[in-house]
């Protein structure tokens, strides 16, 4: 075999090898592009062009109920039972919200005044605050909030919420046992009271703190 023919064969092999590498690279890039397009199409990406869009997106996607603490396990536990316990009254005194004390108010609507136990066309001073109940637990007890229609109000903003139509219930927070204190379930609800110009007692809405009823689901392990 002469040297010229050998050189020609080596050149052909080199060209073929480079061509295969190029084709392989094109195939990889094409596959990568196809995969990215497929991922983007599956994501159904939402384009956010302003803060308004962002908050609208959150309002649509976020499940507010999922943000609430729930300490009841979602699975079956052998030798476990759940009971509902009711506590009456309060252990944490009434705390007034900032800038929500002695706000002068006048009801011209008879129906609204009647719902609140007030007299229409009369001036009152309204105070809005929060009261609580701390439920001490045993080591084997795990709490979660239960429907409490005879509790106080659930207000997001006490200065602007329509408390006449606000839902009743409470927010609960579980504190695990520590080396210095047992576990506990702290519950809080909102109340309103009215005063007029006389020495009459406070008019509470939706009920007097002493009559609050807190229902709690207790999981015993």
């Amino acid at each position: 075999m002469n040297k010229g023919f050998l050189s020609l064969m080596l050149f052909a092999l080199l060209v073929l090898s480079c061509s295969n590498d190029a084709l392989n690279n094109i195939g990889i890039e094409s596959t990568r592009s196809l995969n990215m397009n497929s991922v983007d199409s599956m994501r159904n990406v939402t384009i956010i062009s302003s803060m308004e869009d962002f908050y609208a997106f959150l309002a649509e996607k976020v499940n507010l109920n999922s943000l609430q603490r729930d300490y009841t396990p979602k699975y079956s536990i052998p030798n476990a039972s759940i009971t509902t316990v009711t506590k009456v009254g309060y252990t944490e005194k009434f705390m007034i919200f900032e800038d929500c004390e002695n706000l002068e108010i006048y009801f011209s609507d008879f129906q609204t005044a009647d719902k609140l136990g007030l007299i229409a066309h009369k001036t009152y001073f309204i105070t809005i605050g929060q009261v609580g109940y701390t439920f001490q637990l045993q080591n084997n007890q795990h709490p979660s909030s239960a429907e409490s229609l005879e509790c106080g109000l659930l207000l997001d903003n006490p200065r602007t919420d329509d408390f006449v139509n606000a839902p009743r219930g409470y927010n609960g927070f579980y504190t695990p046992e520590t080396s210095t204190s047992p576990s506990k379930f702290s519950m809080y609800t909102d109340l309103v009271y009215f005063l007029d110009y006389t020495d009459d007692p406070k008019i509470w809405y939706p009920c007097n703190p002493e009559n609050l009823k807190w229902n709690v689901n207790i999981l015993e392990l």
Side-chain angles (χ1 to χ4, degrees):
M1 182 180 295
N2 59 40
K3 292 183 178 180
F5 180 77
L6 180 60
S7 298
L8 180 61
M9 288 294 292
L10 291 174
F11 177 77
L13 289 173
L14 180 61
V15 171
L16 180 60
S17 176
C18 292
S19 300
N20 287 336
D21 289 341
L23 288 173
N24 288 335
N25 289 336
I26 292 173
I28 292 172
E29 290 300 322
S30 298
T31 302
R32 184 179 301 162
S33 176
L34 177 61
N35 289 339
M36 290 302 293
N37 289 336
S38 299
V39 171
D40 285 341
S41 64
M42 288 187 295
R43 287 175 179 167
N44 192 21
V45 177
T46 300
I47 299 175
I48 305 298
S49 59
S50 66
M51 288 301 293
E52 288 76 13
D53 288 344
F54 176 69
Y55 287 119
F57 172 78
L58 289 181
E60 178 183 357
K61 298 296 183 182
V62 173
N63 178 10
L64 295 179
N65 292 328
S66 69
L67 303 179
Q68 298 178 357
R69 299 187 182 189
D70 187 357
Y71 300 96
T72 302
K74 303 301 182 184
Y75 47 85
S76 176
I77 302 178
N79 301 323
S81 61
I82 297 178
T83 58
T84 300
V85 177
T86 300
K87 296 296 182 179
V88 179
Y90 61 96
T91 61
E92 310 298 327
K93 67 178 183 178
F94 184 77
M95 299 293 293
I96 299 172
F97 289 122
E98 184 178 359
D99 299 327
C100 290
E101 184 177 13
N102 293 329
L103 306 176
E104 193 170 8
I105 192 168
Y106 179 89
F107 292 96
S108 60
D109 177 62
F110 285 91
Q111 291 183 342
T112 301
D114 186 61
K115 286 181 180 180
L116 298 172
L118 306 176
I119 300 173
H121 299 290
K122 182 178 179 179
T123 300
Y124 292 90
F125 295 94
I126 179 175
T127 297
I128 308 171
Q130 189 175 77
V131 66
Y133 194 106
T134 299
F135 183 20
Q136 302 293 335
L137 301 166
Q138 302 297 323
N139 292 339
N140 65 329
Q141 293 180 326
H142 298 269
S144 66
S145 301
E147 185 177 56
S148 298
L149 300 181
E150 296 181 76
C151 202
L153 304 173
L154 290 172
L155 301 176
D156 293 322
N157 189 327
R159 286 298 300 266
T160 59
D161 281 0
D162 177 10
F163 55 82
V164 176
N165 298 305
R168 298 184 67 169
Y170 66 87
N171 289 311
F173 305 94
Y174 174 60
T175 303
E177 179 186 17
T178 66
S179 59
T180 57
S181 61
S183 60
K184 62 183 179 180
F185 192 47
S186 302
M187 301 172 285
Y188 298 94
T189 192
D190 303 325
L191 293 175
V192 178
Y193 71 76
F194 301 90
L195 288 172
D196 59 17
Y197 286 102
T198 69
D199 293 329
D200 290 339
K202 298 174 182 176
I203 301 173
W204 289 93
Y205 183 85
C207 66
N208 191 296
E210 297 178 356
N211 298 327
L212 291 169
K213 292 185 178 181
W214 318 74
N215 297 326
V216 186
N217 288 328
I218 300 295
L219 172 69
E220 296 186 0
L221 300 178

